[in-house]
Amino acid sequence: WDNLDKTTKRLTVRGPDHNLARKLYREGYDLFEQAKHAESNRKADIFAMAAPKFAQAADRWPDSQLAMDGLFMAGESAYFADEYPAANLYYEKLIKAFPNNRYLDQVDKRRFAIARYWLDTNRENPEPFYYVNYTNKERPWRDRRGHGLRVYDKIRIDDPTGKLADDATLAAGNEHFASGKFYKADEYYTDLRKAYPTSEHQFLAHFLGTKAKLNSYMGAAYGGTALDETEKLIKQTRRQFPMEAEREREFLDKAAAEVRFRKAEQLMLLAEFYDRRA
């Protein structure tokens, strides 16, 4: 597809043109500066005009410093124009073309804010599965929640050592937890505990992970791996976070008691089975 795109551009005289790229970038920059000092009711419209200029500049001089700056500024322009799907698209293009670009931290902040906005608004006003957005440029065309979770995952994958990778992991886990998808939430909390051992969210990853594991337990007729992992996690929480564990001692005591009860329940079910078989 990339080769087809390059061929199409060459045949339609839209190939690389460094002078035109510089000209388009200057035009975009002038509009961006104009928008910064414009009246409040005009800012968004001018920012929206700047974004395609920067994007076209990057397209006319690929694999260059100007292309990297152009894609970032296109994303910033769309972001300040409140066109979040477009902004996210430009940021993703930037990271795909320049994986280790100098704007990564700023891009992660923007994408994190976009994902949180989509998830928060969807929580306040959930959209039905058949809803399609045609007019609101702040939201994707459909499935705000799915798009928000995808952005969190992209932050984790695109910049796994970035400042917000652990925050995105926790946020994604919390979103699944809140929607009752405890098994999926547990995956994120487990990833947070293992992949980000120095994260400030380590206690939450242990504490919420315990809750997620207990809630994902399916009953005595199923395997007891979740119970073993929960028991181990409770011990780790008490050992590694004594102060926080003391504040949550009531929950941890109840959780440990529930694990013991569920394990006894499994043994009872097994004993009854052998008893019936004599």
Side-chain angles (χ1 to χ4, degrees):
W1 285 111
D2 289 340
N3 290 335
L4 178 62
D5 183 52
K6 291 176 183 177
T7 304
T8 303
K9 287 177 181 178
R10 187 172 65 253
L11 293 175
T12 56
V13 198
R14 290 190 301 112
D17 187 329
H18 298 178
N19 291 328
L20 180 58
R22 292 190 189 97
K23 178 176 179 293
L24 288 166
Y25 189 92
R26 283 195 299 270
E27 290 176 0
Y29 188 81
D30 289 342
L31 286 168
F32 190 88
E33 290 296 312
Q34 182 183 336
K36 285 166 61 176
H37 303 95
E39 298 176 2
S40 299
N41 61 340
R42 296 185 61 240
K43 281 182 180 289
D45 292 336
I46 302 175
F47 276 125
M49 293 166 59
K53 294 285 187 182
F54 287 122
Q56 290 168 22
D59 195 44
R60 287 297 186 146
W61 195 348
D63 304 321
S64 67
Q65 179 69 44
L66 185 142
M68 181 173 71
D69 295 339
L71 287 172
F72 173 71
M73 291 301 293
E76 292 289 275
S77 301
Y79 182 85
F80 290 124
D82 297 332
E83 296 181 359
Y84 300 134
N88 182 60
L89 183 62
Y90 288 132
Y91 292 139
E92 288 191 0
K93 285 184 177 180
L94 169 64
I95 294 172
K96 182 180 179 181
F98 306 95
N100 298 311
N101 69 83
R102 61 179 178 174
Y103 301 113
L104 267 179
D105 287 345
Q106 183 69 8
V107 167
D108 283 349
K109 287 181 183 178
R110 299 295 193 216
R111 293 201 294 173
F112 191 92
I114 290 170
R116 184 169 55 188
Y117 172 73
W118 286 341
L119 290 167
D120 286 348
T121 54
N122 186 69
R123 200 176 299 116
E124 293 169 5
N125 184 26
E127 57 189 31
F129 73 93
Y130 54 81
Y131 176 80
V132 179
N133 171 42
Y134 292 108
T135 57
N136 192 337
K137 294 183 178 181
E138 293 183 0
R139 302 176 182 181
W141 70 283
R142 68 181 305 275
D143 190 17
R144 264 177 296 165
R145 182 177 180 275
H147 277 81
L149 288 170
R150 177 186 172 277
V151 172
Y152 279 148
D153 277 337
K154 289 290 288 179
I155 292 172
R156 300 167 63 239
I157 295 167
D158 292 339
D159 191 14
T161 60
K163 295 179 180 179
L164 291 176
D166 59 330
D167 299 82
T169 304
L170 178 66
N174 289 346
E175 178 62 27
H176 285 295
F177 189 98
S179 61
K181 297 183 178 179
F182 301 113
Y183 188 81
K184 192 68 176 176
D186 180 42
E187 289 182 354
Y188 282 95
Y189 296 139
T190 301
D191 187 40
L192 179 54
R193 290 194 302 274
K194 292 181 177 179
Y196 308 99
T198 60
S199 170
E200 61 183 341
H201 306 306
Q202 273 295 315
F203 172 71
L204 279 175
H206 283 72
F207 181 69
L208 294 173
T210 302
K211 288 188 172 184
K213 285 183 184 297
L214 280 176
N215 281 299
S216 62
Y217 175 64
M218 300 180 69
Y222 294 85
T225 304
L227 297 177
D228 293 334
E229 291 176 351
T230 306
E231 189 173 44
K232 182 180 178 182
L233 197 54
I234 292 170
K235 291 178 181 177
Q236 286 180 351
T237 304
R238 284 176 163 152
R239 184 173 62 251
Q240 295 181 26
F241 310 97
M243 294 178 61
E244 293 90 340
E246 181 61 27
R247 289 198 296 267
E248 301 292 345
R249 183 172 61 177
E250 183 180 356
F251 166 76
L252 293 173
D253 287 345
K254 286 183 178 179
E258 183 175 351
V259 169
R260 288 195 300 273
F261 175 79
R262 297 299 180 194
K263 283 191 170 186
E265 204 173 37
Q266 284 191 328
L267 288 171
M268 188 66 180
L269 187 68
L270 192 62
E272 289 174 345
F273 169 77
Y274 285 122
D275 192 36
R276 287 195 303 272
R277 297 291 297 272

